Structures are given as C-alpha cells and as structure tokens.
Amino acid sequence: VSTPVLVSTLTTTPPGIVTSPYFGFSGSYTVATVLSPGKAYWVKTGSAGKLHIVASGAVPKQAPGVAELAGLDKITVQDKLGRAQVLYIGSDGVLSAGAASRYEMPPSAPAGALDVRFASGRMVEVYPSQAEAGKQYEYPVSMQGVVYPLVVKWEAARGGAQKLALTAVAGKVSKTLGIIEGTGKVTITDASVNKLVLKVSEGLAVPKEFALSQNYPNPFNPTTHFSVELPRASEVDITVYDVLGRKITALMSGEQEAGYHIMEWDSKDSHGMTVPSGMYMVRMTAGDFTAVRKIMLMK
C-alpha cells in the first residue's frame, strides 16, 4: 500500500473486532482518519483476526473527525514545543459511558514525548447527566513530558446547570483556573503543576459574592491571568495602573453576566506596546464593590 487509505474503508476478519479508534503519533497521540504510508498506528481489538488495508490508488480527502465527539466539551493542552493533546468531556446524555470506554489511549508515550490523558487512561470522559444534588464529580488529567509554559484551551459545546471547573494541582496545592464556558484559554507557567482536574457540579457558575483573585502566576512574564467572580449581572470595570496611578489598559468594561470569568493580561498597554518590568495595580469596581491587586511583571 503506497497511497493514503481512509480509516472508514478498513475491514477485518472476523468483522467487528476493532474496539478503539486508530491512533497516530506525532509528538502526541491523535485520532487518525487516514492511514499514511510509512507511518505507524495503534488500534485495540477484542480478539485476534486480520486487518484489510486496501488502497484505491487515489489520494483520499481528509475525513472529518469523530462525529460522536462533537457534542462534548473540547480541551486542548499544548506545551512550549507546540505539541498538543486533545481531550473531550461531557454528560452521558450526549455520549454513553460505553461509547466513551472505546477511547482508551495507547500505552504511555516514549520518554520525552508529550503524554496527556485522563487518569482513566482515556481521552474521553462522561459524567452523569442526572447528578446527585451537592455531589461533585472529579476527572483528573495526568501529564508527562510537558515543556512549560502550557496553554490550556477549551471549546464548550453547550450550556446547562452542570458546570465544569478547571483546576491546576501542584503537589498538595490546587488552584481553580476558571470555568469551562464558551471558548477560552489559560497559560500555566508554573512547572510544579503536574496535574489538571476537571470538576463537575450543579450550580457552580454562580458565585456567592464579588471577588477579584490574585493573578496567576505572580511574578509573571509576559502573560498572567485573573479570575473574576460575579454573583449577579453587573457593570464591571477592571483596569491596570502603574505605580504612579496612570492608566495602562482596561481588561474588562461594561455589563457582564453572573458567573466566573477568566481574564488574561499580556503585559501590553492600550496601544499594544509592551510595558516595562515593575509593579502594577489591577483595580476592579462593580457597583459598591472595589478590589485592588498588586502584580509584578519581571522580565
């Protein structure tokens, strides 16, 4: 076989013995839709048999991704070298637990390669659509071979009463980085973070009071993040000032929905120019609420 072959055209004898997607590897594991000559792939089967790979002679068009994953939240973990692993999570109302079990990943990647997966060894997890009141469901994500900083991106498939929180774990210390809603990203520069946890619970998206978190990391270079908590829809202003009280840039302004919000500052002013190292102040006002955080940019 000297031309690419669509995975959807593969057959086996006996039929139906394949129990996982076909995985390719290029610095991290990916679900393959096309088998290319000269490349290696991994697949799990339920019994011995034969795999039939038949080339048509024509180069096939790239097939779309796995359609059944489209209704799940998508989490991408990318390291400094540009290597990325995609994970999926959602309720069992979208994908059954049995279907999720098919996405067991191959054995751990070679030393030095990026290996990111749920603690279950899968790239897909589902949580109960009818969760027990007050109960929290946690899904740890293990990471090996990562080169910091890490960028964690998300694309939430849909809303609902159940919300997903992203937490970074460094030893015995854990910190909530934000809520998986809409699209967003957060950068992790702390190399002591060796695990991520996705937590699901009812009503997580409505805080009890206004709050502006300390930035993370601090000191930082060049990017840092803040978590903003709004118990109700409010007119919010969050602005960065230098130590002389001069306005540098606005991070948030105007009417905001209730919930948790993640902000990122890339150490640039309102004109897009990078500011010098030093101490800065971040001020949040929402109605009668005011909070100020000191942050340190260190290049």
Side-chain angles (χ1 to χ4, degrees):
V1 177
S2 59
T3 57
V5 177
L6 281 171
V7 166
S8 59
T9 66
L10 302 179
T11 59
T12 61
T13 303
I17 62 174
V18 171
T19 60
S20 79
Y22 290 80
F23 288 93
F25 185 83
S26 56
S28 62
Y29 286 114
T30 57
V31 174
T33 54
V34 174
L35 303 189
S36 298
K39 300 293 184 179
Y41 299 88
W42 186 97
V43 66
K44 186 177 181 181
T45 64
S47 64
K50 293 183 178 180
L51 173 64
H52 306 291
I53 306 175
V54 181
S56 65
V59 177
K61 295 181 179 180
Q62 181 70 28
V66 183
E68 65 181 355
L69 302 181
L72 304 178
D73 293 348
K74 179 180 177 181
I75 313 294
T76 303
V77 180
Q78 181 174 320
D79 75 352
K80 182 180 179 180
L81 301 181
R83 303 174 301 179
Q85 182 66 60
V86 179
L87 305 175
Y88 296 87
I89 186 170
S91 80
D92 58 10
V94 178
L95 184 71
S96 69
S101 67
R102 294 186 61 251
Y103 291 90
E104 177 187 353
M105 294 178 67
S108 296
L114 178 70
D115 194 281
V116 178
R117 63 183 67 201
F118 286 108
S120 62
R122 305 196 307 233
M123 62 178 291
V124 176
E125 285 288 2
V126 294
Y127 50 83
S129 55
Q130 300 297 324
E132 296 181 27
K135 183 176 180 180
Q136 193 173 77
Y137 299 84
E138 298 187 358
Y139 300 89
V141 176
S142 63
M143 302 186 296
Q144 297 179 16
V146 296
V147 178
Y148 292 80
L150 293 178
V151 176
V152 182
K153 303 177 183 179
W154 61 83
E155 300 175 25
R158 62 188 67 193
Q162 292 170 312
K163 300 297 178 181
L164 201 63
L166 174 66
T167 300
V169 179
K172 296 182 179 180
V173 179
S174 62
K175 179 179 179 62
T176 299
L177 301 179
I179 303 301
I180 306 301
E181 291 185 305
T183 60
K185 68 175 183 177
V186 64
T187 302
I188 301 173
T189 59
D190 185 357
S192 64
V193 173
N194 57 0
K195 183 171 67 174
L196 302 174
V197 179
L198 292 165
K199 300 181 179 180
V200 187
S201 69
E202 295 283 348
L204 184 62
V206 183
K208 295 182 179 179
E209 58 186 16
F210 289 100
L212 172 66
S213 74
Q214 185 62 49
N215 64 309
Y216 178 85
N218 192 37
F220 67 97
N221 177 32
T223 303
T224 192
H225 299 84
F226 306 83
S227 175
V228 179
E229 301 179 13
L230 305 176
R232 57 182 179 275
S234 307
E235 192 81 16
V236 181
D237 179 82
I238 301 178
T239 303
V240 180
Y241 298 90
D242 64 15
V243 291
L244 299 179
R246 295 175 297 195
K247 181 178 178 179
I248 301 299
T249 190
L251 301 180
M252 181 179 287
S253 180
E255 185 76 12
Q256 305 294 329
E257 296 181 358
Y260 293 80
H261 302 263
I262 293 292
M263 296 180 308
E264 178 181 273
W265 186 40
D266 57 4
S267 67
K268 294 181 180 180
D269 63 17
S270 57
H271 302 291
M273 303 296 293
T274 301
V275 300
S277 298
M279 182 78 73
Y280 293 87
M281 307 291 179
V282 179
R283 177 185 174 89
M284 170 183 171
T285 57
D288 296 331
F289 174 82
T290 300
V292 178
R293 297 285 180 261
K294 293 181 180 180
I295 65 175
M296 175 65 74
L297 171 61
M298 187 176 295
K299 299 181 180 178

